[in-house]
Amino acid sequence: MSFLIKSAPFRHFPLHPLVLAPKRTHWNKDYKPGPYPYSLEEKRLAAEKYNLHPAEYRAYPDDGFGRGDYPKLPDLGYESRDHHYPWDNPEHLRNFGEPLHAEFGLVRQDRLNVGVKMRYPLWLQVLQFFGAMLASAGLFWFFEKFKAFHPVIPTQCPEEGVTHYTFEPEEEGKPGKSK
Amino acid sequence: MGAAFGYFPESGFNLYFRPEVTPGPDEEPTFDPCLGFENGRKERVMVATEEQMRSAKIPPSERDYCAHHLLKFMACRKENWPWVVNCEHEKHVYATCKYDDYVIRMKEYERERRLRVREQKNKEIEAA
């Protein structure tokens, strides 16, 4: 609200808590994962917490970039799930209590379909993209360098002190021939 | 289309690779207009007056040596509108005049180009 006021401190990007708050509006202390499970017992408890079988539970490696005890689910996008299976939440293709992928923002249905076997490999797609871009750039460079034009002089408009000529001789005699 | 566009790609290459010999698209002729014409050249006559053109509100780009035909054509259209198909004769006369004007411009360009080639040859002969 403050940035709507045209006063000096708020003319630039509004550094106001109400505007900066959106990132923190849906957090809950219970959402934070627990510490990395080292012992078998901790692993079992963590699997139970996330509704996973202990055999299929594994955590991200604890190398400083891990996620505590949040499970490392297979890297499959949600788009590749069965669309005709009767999910509890069919709009998300997800059952009740199923753990969300840690990178849900990346693998959700309307974003990247990670891990699926593409018809054309990724390197080919990248090559096609840059090939098309380079081709356009090359065409542009070429036609900027060699500008074509019609081989005519500019329009002859009548002016003061300037005479324009045709290619006919002055007298009605034989046409002039240059030596 | 080949007659008008036949030189189209070549012009760009010539302008880039042989600039001394190729006149650019915006360059006026530099040589004496009567050079090489034993019997002289007829001058172009402006038929429409400044007053007429201004009163008919002709754009400056079209106030050339064909403006009198354009005035007749526009007058014919004004009289016959919406049956302007009756103005085909005036339109043809104007188009012919514009065509002849374009041919003169093409000839002037080619004349300028050939004189430049000749000048360069003379320079090479002198240098040698």
Side-chain angles (χ1 to χ4, degrees):
Chain A
M1 278 295 278
S2 323
F3 61 82
L4 293 173
I5 306 169
K6 282 186 183 161
S7 57
F10 297 107
R11 202 172 292 139
H12 308 292
F13 180 75
L15 296 169
H16 193 273
L18 275 176
V19 179
L20 297 172
K23 289 257 179 201
R24 302 278 178 263
T25 48
H26 293 100
W27 187 252
N28 190 325
K29 66 168 170 60
D30 296 330
Y31 291 167
K32 186 173 175 186
Y36 185 86
Y38 282 101
S39 69
L40 274 173
E41 186 56 26
E42 285 171 1
K43 281 190 167 73
R44 192 185 63 77
L45 284 170
E48 199 181 317
K49 181 170 82 169
Y50 291 112
N51 292 324
L52 289 169
H53 194 275
E56 65 179 3
Y57 171 84
R58 52 184 289 253
Y60 282 90
D62 191 23
D63 54 358
F65 297 98
R67 288 172 167 82
D69 65 358
Y70 200 85
K72 186 177 188 333
L73 299 164
D75 280 333
L76 261 186
Y78 278 65
E79 178 62 30
S80 51
R81 293 186 172 193
D82 189 358
H83 287 252
H84 302 293
Y85 177 83
W87 302 94
D88 295 335
N89 294 102
E91 67 276 5
H92 294 129
L93 302 183
R94 179 178 166 267
N95 284 322
F96 178 78
E98 182 185 335
L100 282 176
H101 195 280
E103 294 284 324
F104 179 71
L106 183 73
V107 303
R108 45 188 268 194
Q109 251 183 304
D110 49 350
R111 293 189 184 168
L112 278 180
N113 197 0
V114 180
V116 70
K117 184 180 187 298
M118 282 188 271
R119 183 179 171 189
Y120 299 106
L122 191 63
W123 62 265
L124 184 64
Q125 295 180 28
V126 170
L127 190 68
Q128 284 171 343
F129 171 74
F130 283 111
M133 285 295 169
L134 280 173
S136 317
L139 273 174
F140 178 81
W141 170 86
F142 179 82
F143 283 110
E144 280 293 304
K145 215 167 175 64
F146 303 108
K147 284 193 169 104
F149 57 96
H150 285 280
V152 289
I153 61 167
T155 319
Q156 291 181 328
C157 284
E159 269 178 82
E160 293 288 316
V162 176
T163 48
H164 292 123
Y165 298 92
T166 65
F167 280 84
E168 291 159 25
E170 252 181 294
E171 302 94 23
E172 291 296 324
K174 55 180 180 190
K177 271 197 166 190
S178 56
K179 289 183 185 154
Chain B
M1 196 181 103
F5 279 91
Y7 189 68
F8 206 62
E10 204 180 321
S11 57
F13 294 123
N14 280 351
L15 189 61
Y16 183 78
F17 288 116
R18 305 167 67 190
E20 294 102 31
V21 166
T22 314
D26 300 322
E27 288 178 31
E28 299 278 354
T30 49
F31 293 92
D32 175 31
C34 295
L35 178 68
F37 288 92
E38 291 162 349
N39 295 345
R41 292 172 76 173
K42 256 195 210 152
E43 286 182 19
R44 298 188 82 173
V45 181
M46 187 64 189
V47 175
T49 62
E50 178 77 24
E51 202 54 46
Q52 285 174 333
M53 291 199 288
R54 196 184 301 154
S55 98
K57 297 185 194 168
I58 295 181
S61 58
E62 286 167 48
R63 293 187 187 185
D64 54 4
Y65 291 97
C66 295
H68 54 291
H69 294 301
L70 178 62
L71 286 169
K72 287 221 178 64
F73 178 48
M74 283 166 70
C76 173
R77 277 179 70 93
K78 188 170 188 256
E79 280 174 29
N80 291 346
W81 206 84
W83 290 277
V84 289
V85 73
N86 296 330
C87 292
E88 284 296 315
H89 175 73
E90 282 81 3
K91 187 163 102 173
H92 184 261
V93 168
Y94 178 60
T96 310
C97 177
K98 289 288 276 186
Y99 169 79
D100 292 333
D101 175 67
Y102 198 80
V103 167
I104 287 173
R105 286 166 67 192
M106 282 170 77
K107 288 183 179 175
E108 287 281 2
Y109 179 88
E110 185 60 22
R111 176 172 180 268
E112 173 74 16
R113 194 190 70 82
R114 289 188 190 184
L115 284 169
R116 286 194 194 187
V117 168
R118 179 170 169 266
E119 191 183 337
Q120 206 193 24
K121 270 197 198 137
N122 288 344
K123 271 195 201 150
E124 279 167 17
I125 290 168
E126 271 176 46

